[in-house]
Amino acid sequence: MNNKVMGVRRCTWVYLVLMFFSFITYFVGRLELSGLTISLFVLLLALIKGQLVGAYFMGLGRLRGLWRWPVFIWLFIPGTLISIAFYLSA
Amino acid sequence: MQEQVIDTSDVLHDRHPPGDLAIWIFILAELSVFAVFFAAYAFTRMNNVELFNEFQQHLDRQSALLNTLTLITSSYFVVRAVAAIKENNHKLCVNWLLAAISMGFLFVVIKSAEYAHHFGEGINLSTNTFYMFYLSLTFFHFMHVIMGMVILGAVAIKAKNGGYSDIEHTGVETGASYWHMVDLVWLILFPLVYVMR
């Protein structure tokens, strides 16, 4: 099996994980679950989804050097700020 | 003597992101703006927790989930389009791109219906702080979806005319990177605005 077929197969699995995490997020909202722990859990799912998109769909995960990190850093900064804001308002 | 054609794209991708470098500068600038927006939403909410929680309940989470699924699916279709052109399969690449654009169109329809519902209720930017953030954040993202569809459309036309190959497909990767950015932003926007409380 060549690398390109492997890459597509991996992206198909990532796609399924993204869909699954989205349904979990939706059901958390539908059940009207609230509170700091729930909010941070939902945010964590979103950050993992973002990292999966960056690493596999955008293809940054296979890079070496600086370009491997911009999406991770982008997720980390607003993720941290949102967490702090929700923590302070809890 | 037989000439050997080597696909250098994967080697080049070892250090450089897929697509044109200029689009990555643009993507980073756009992501920075959205990061500021997200932080502003979260810190403004700190002083208006009850207001944000109350009006968040009025949003249509089912539409938001559908929009999330359409964007994720369209992003996956774009991945398939890039894989197809790397196999020098123009027709398949165009088909995947058209499928991705269709999903983008579905997003626009669902979001427009949501906006129509809100505007029908007399909600606008000055209704309250929550709606100011909700409408401006989602509409800013909405415009990016439309722009992404235009970019993918241009890439699809060029791909249909044989403008890309397994050796040279920078344009397809450039369009794909932009579209993934649009998806990426929504993945944070969805839980932040519709679910976290």
Side-chain angles (χ1 to χ4, degrees), chain B residues 66-170:
Chain B
L66 273 177
N67 274 338
T68 308
L69 302 183
T70 56
L71 278 190
I72 290 172
T73 304
S74 70
S75 245
Y76 175 69
F77 288 168
V78 166
V79 168
R80 299 301 302 258
V82 173
I85 200 65
K86 284 182 177 175
E87 299 287 338
N88 213 18
N89 192 336
H90 300 88
K91 195 168 178 243
L92 192 59
C93 173
V94 172
N95 288 344
W96 282 119
L97 286 173
L98 292 179
I101 294 168
S102 305
M103 298 308 282
F105 184 71
L106 185 59
F107 178 95
V108 169
V109 169
I110 295 168
K111 201 74 210 145
S112 299
E114 243 187 294
Y115 286 140
H117 173 74
H118 290 310
F119 294 145
E121 286 184 328
I123 292 164
N124 57 47
L125 283 172
S126 24
T127 300
N128 60 41
T129 316
F130 174 77
Y131 278 119
M132 190 271 287
F133 271 106
Y134 164 73
L135 289 173
S136 48
L137 250 174
T138 56
F139 190 72
F140 190 45
H141 176 266
F142 182 83
M143 296 308 290
H144 282 75
V145 173
I146 291 172
M147 189 172 165
M149 287 166 66
V150 172
I151 292 171
L152 289 185
V155 171
I157 290 168
K158 191 173 173 185
K160 191 176 188 308
N161 295 330
Y164 302 111
S165 67
D166 53 342
I167 307 296
E168 172 42 46
H169 44 261
T170 309

Side-chain angles (χ1 to χ4, degrees), chain A residues 10-71:
Chain A
R10 208 169 289 146
C11 284
T12 305
W13 279 107
V14 166
Y15 168 66
L16 294 173
V17 171
L18 293 173
M19 298 290 266
F20 179 62
F21 280 10
S22 300
F23 276 105
I24 294 177
T25 304
Y26 168 72
F27 282 111
V28 166
R30 191 189 164 126
L31 295 171
E32 298 188 1
L33 301 177
S34 60
L36 182 63
T37 313
I38 295 292
S39 293
L40 293 184
F41 169 69
V42 167
L43 181 64
L44 180 67
L45 285 186
L47 297 178
I48 293 171
K49 283 161 72 181
Q51 182 56 22
L52 287 173
V53 168
Y56 293 99
F57 284 11
M58 289 176 141
L60 300 180
R62 65 168 184 264
L63 302 184
R64 283 181 287 141
L66 274 179
W67 281 105
R68 192 184 170 92
W69 302 107
V71 168

